[in-house]
Amino acid sequence: MGHLKASNLITARERLRDQVAHALRAALISGELRPGQVYSAPTLAEDFGISATPVREAMLDLAREGLVEPLRNKGFRVTEVNERDLDQYTEIRTLIEVPMVGRITRTAAEEDLEALRPTAEEIVRAARDHDLIGYLEADRRFHLSLLALSGNDRLVETVGDLRKRSRLYGLTALDRRGELIPSAEEHLELLDLMLSGDAEAAERCMTRHLGHVRSLWAEGETVTEPAG
């Protein structure tokens, strides 16, 4: 019985850590937690009204995702991504994902591609519902699941890492202007092109989509910069 009670406590703590990590990701996306700034677990814990332990564990989860970096005896600094970094990440993703979309269009089974439609629709729905966390999570699942059809696990890991390093900040302002919806709808356009077997058009769509994502990030950074 004691073992069962201990297991329940561990599960509850893990659930709290996940809830805190979710809230911290939302704060990163909205721009509430700023790139380059250092935040301590005890201070954040006071904001949440909980102990520092689950906050520290959640921040370590974010550190493994590349969103923050731990600083000994200070806390966690939100990772900064500059324009040069973004250009390089986008270039690498373009070199990998564009030709891979063409190859997958030519080789993937129609039912495997069609299985991605609910996720593509989820991306659009999240954009329309102003669910920014849901938008990014569904977008990640779509792109990585699509690339997984190549059968190259290392490629999927590489793109997953690039996505973490080039995540979007300041999506709140873009969401208010409705600029996430066109980007979201490109996933359905891409999927339809791949299902039609038009590999070249699918590659062009993917190239445009990656460029669109890059421009959205740049606009988001401009919008979220403090006045003055």
Side-chain angles (χ1 to χ4, degrees):
M1 182 65 71
H3 173 70
L4 292 177
K5 288 182 178 178
S7 296
N8 289 338
L9 286 174
I10 292 172
T11 301
R13 193 174 83 176
E14 289 177 345
R15 189 176 302 119
L16 179 58
R17 180 191 68 197
D18 291 342
Q19 291 172 349
V20 172
H22 186 85
L24 291 171
R25 290 187 190 95
L28 286 167
I29 292 168
S30 69
E32 186 178 353
L33 295 181
R34 301 290 302 171
Q37 295 296 310
V38 177
Y39 299 91
S40 71
T43 299
L44 291 171
E46 288 182 12
D47 293 338
F48 285 116
I50 59 177
S51 70
T53 298
V55 176
R56 187 174 293 107
E57 291 173 344
M59 292 296 276
L60 288 172
D61 288 341
L62 267 59
R64 283 189 284 271
E65 296 173 13
L67 299 174
V68 300
E69 55 181 327
L71 299 176
R72 188 175 180 84
N73 299 324
K74 291 184 179 180
F76 297 84
R77 179 165 51 214
V78 178
T79 306
E80 295 183 271
V81 183
N82 58 40
E83 294 291 318
R84 185 168 180 268
D85 290 333
L86 286 170
D87 286 337
Q88 292 180 352
Y89 294 150
T90 302
E91 181 178 12
I92 296 171
R93 286 190 60 189
T94 299
L95 289 170
I96 294 174
E97 294 184 64
V98 171
M100 192 56 61
V101 158
R103 183 200 296 182
I104 293 169
T105 299
R106 298 182 183 95
T107 61
E110 181 177 338
E111 57 268 27
D112 290 336
L113 289 171
E114 190 61 48
L116 297 173
R117 188 172 297 279
T119 306
E121 292 172 342
E122 184 182 346
I123 297 169
V124 176
R125 187 164 56 250
R128 290 175 176 166
D129 292 344
H130 313 287
D131 178 5
L132 302 183
I133 292 290
Y135 175 91
L136 288 179
E137 290 181 348
D139 179 76
R140 177 188 60 80
R141 289 202 314 275
F142 177 88
H143 283 278
L144 297 187
S145 296
L146 175 61
L147 291 174
L149 296 179
S150 71
N152 189 328
D153 296 338
R154 301 289 82 78
L155 182 147
V156 175
E157 289 178 6
T158 298
V159 173
D161 182 63
L162 289 169
R163 288 178 60 86
K164 290 174 184 176
R165 295 177 184 277
S166 58
R167 71 253 170 235
L168 299 176
Y169 286 117
L171 283 183
T172 302
L174 297 174
D175 174 56
R176 284 198 299 265
R177 300 203 304 268
E179 295 186 24
L180 288 183
I181 296 175
S183 179
E185 291 174 340
E186 286 175 344
H187 297 84
L188 287 169
E189 178 187 354
L190 174 64
L191 189 57
D192 287 339
L193 289 170
M194 296 182 74
L195 283 164
S196 74
D198 193 338
E200 291 184 1
E203 289 182 0
R204 290 195 297 270
C205 180
M206 189 63 182
T207 300
R208 173 162 42 88
H209 178 65
L210 290 174
H212 190 182
V213 170
R214 172 64 181 90
S215 65
L216 283 180
W217 200 100
E219 291 175 30
E221 279 292 274
T222 301
V223 170
T224 56
E225 279 293 322

